[in-house]
Amino acid sequence: MDIDVFSSVHRGEWNRLDELCGKRRLDGAEADELVRLYQTVATHLSTVRSTAPDPSLISDLSLLLSRARAKIGGAHDPAWRTVLRFLGVTLPAAFYRIRWWTVAVTIICVAIALVVGFRVATNPDALAAMGTPSERERYVNDMFTAYYSQKSSFGAMVWTNNAWIAAQCVGLGITGVWPALVLYSNAVQVGSVGGMMGHYGALDVFLKSILPHGLLELTSIFAAGAAGLKTFWAVIAPGHRSRGRALAEEGRALITVAIGLALALSVAGLIESKVTGLKASWMPWWLKIAIGALALAGFWVYTIVLGRRAVRAGETGDMNARERGDVQPVAG
């Protein structure tokens, strides 16, 4: 095939497609013409590639078809608009839908921690399981507070550890067992340390050290466990949906929750490294705890206020219809 002759014959169609792509608005006839020319030029590109692969012409036609495809399909929202929608609509809706699960998990885990802490503080055998007397005293008097005075990379280390715990709850939530084990282990650990600190008269040090960052940090862990357990429950009791559809919808919303909790844990890690530790020794403890309480309040205000509004508007934390594709309709 003579590429020059081919180009000369079809140049008018290419120019017309380019002209339509450049128009701000198209009427019905022009829109139909745009689609027809798009199909025609796509055939031209295929012909050129298979019979006379001219790199320059292939590049020009590919670019033209790309513009036409965008014109037909509509322009995507700017990236910043997508991010704003995620933060202002999708994420709070996902948090809102697991709010009662989060509250239930929080109550259960706090109860476990209190029971374990009381037992360690009052039962010699339980206290002995925490280590030898010298090891316990060294931990209470030195190691516990030294933990929060580490170098500047401490915040990143804390975030990584907590994000890993949350990821286990989220990623393995479908098992139902693993999130429960992670949450139970975390509650027992916190309760055991608190009980040991209380036994040695340092309960105030424990609370002052854990509350500034722990309010948001532990709530994020509880929310991760709640999201994982809710996914497991969607398989057990999918309602009017099929189990496959329920799992797909909750699984996609779970990804949204995971991203949001990574952000929340980064804030908790920042508070832990910059506010809780000795680097902020000039700051009174009431102010440190107030900062932690403010961070937790911000999380719940964000969840309840924006989340309720988003859910009432039909949001679930799942992808929108264009992103997730068609789904099989169900009755009810």
Side-chain angles (χ1 to χ4, degrees):
M1 181 180 72
D2 190 320
I3 196 64
D4 293 329
V5 174
F6 184 83
S7 299
S8 177
V9 170
H10 298 291
R11 180 66 63 182
E13 293 173 304
W14 301 345
N15 290 340
R16 177 56 178 167
L17 180 59
D18 182 66
E19 179 185 350
L20 292 174
C21 289
K23 296 189 69 171
R24 188 176 183 83
R25 293 182 180 276
L26 300 176
D27 58 29
E30 288 174 330
D32 291 340
E33 185 182 8
L34 174 66
V35 173
R36 180 182 60 79
L37 286 174
Y38 172 80
Q39 295 171 336
T40 300
V41 176
T43 302
H44 295 167
L45 177 59
S46 177
T47 301
V48 171
R49 280 176 169 165
S50 60
T51 59
D54 180 88
S56 178
L57 184 58
I58 290 175
S59 176
D60 291 343
L61 293 180
S62 297
L63 180 60
L64 178 58
L65 287 172
S66 178
R67 293 179 57 209
R69 186 162 49 247
K71 187 72 173 180
I72 293 170
H76 296 290
D77 290 336
W80 62 267
R81 189 172 300 172
T82 301
V83 172
L84 290 179
R85 187 182 187 283
F86 176 83
L87 294 176
V89 178
T90 307
L91 180 57
F95 280 163
Y96 186 78
R97 290 182 67 242
I98 63 168
R99 67 195 185 284
W100 292 120
W101 287 80
T102 303
V103 171
V105 168
T106 299
I107 293 173
I108 293 172
C109 287
V110 170
I112 292 173
L114 289 175
V115 170
V116 171
F118 180 79
R119 185 169 182 272
V120 170
T122 58
N123 188 302
D125 293 334
L127 182 65
M130 299 294 292
T132 64
S134 60
E135 290 174 339
R136 297 195 301 264
E137 291 179 6
R138 182 158 55 91
Y139 181 85
V140 171
N141 296 326
D142 300 318
M143 296 177 62
F144 183 79
T145 53
Y147 174 77
Y148 298 104
S149 60
Q150 299 182 41
K151 56 186 180 179
S152 58
S153 61
F154 180 55
M157 180 185 69
V158 168
W159 180 87
T160 301
N161 177 67
N162 292 328
W164 170 239
I165 294 175
Q168 292 180 68
C169 292
V170 170
L172 299 173
I174 192 173
T175 66
V177 176
W178 193 257
L181 290 176
V182 171
L183 291 169
Y184 177 78
S185 175
N186 191 63
V188 169
Q189 182 180 6
V190 172
S192 298
V193 173
M196 183 173 64
M197 298 287 287
H199 177 82
Y200 286 95
L203 183 60
D204 59 329
V205 176
F206 172 77
L207 294 176
K208 289 176 181 178
S209 298
I210 200 172
L211 287 179
H213 65 275
L215 291 172
L216 180 59
E217 177 182 286
L218 291 174
T219 299
S220 299
I221 299 299
F222 298 153
L229 292 173
K230 190 173 188 299
T231 302
F232 171 71
W233 188 251
V235 179
I236 302 299
H240 66 276
R241 304 170 294 180
S242 67
R243 281 185 169 79
R245 178 174 175 179
L247 181 59
E249 291 177 353
E250 297 300 336
R252 289 191 297 263
L254 192 65
I255 296 174
T256 300
V257 171
I259 296 173
L261 292 180
L263 297 175
L265 286 170
S266 68
V267 174
L270 183 64
I271 294 174
E272 187 168 0
S273 62
K274 302 300 183 182
V275 176
T276 301
L278 296 179
K279 294 179 180 179
S281 57
W282 58 271
M283 191 180 298
W285 281 109
W286 66 264
L287 180 57
K288 294 183 178 184
I289 295 174
I291 291 174
L294 185 63
L296 178 62
F299 173 85
W300 281 112
V301 169
Y302 174 82
T303 296
I304 294 173
V305 175
L306 294 183
R308 181 192 291 127
R309 183 195 309 167
V311 169
R312 285 179 176 175
E315 294 291 333
T316 64
D318 193 0
M319 298 178 180
N320 59 41
R322 185 179 63 184
E323 292 171 336
R324 66 173 178 261
D326 295 331
V327 297
Q328 183 178 1
V330 295

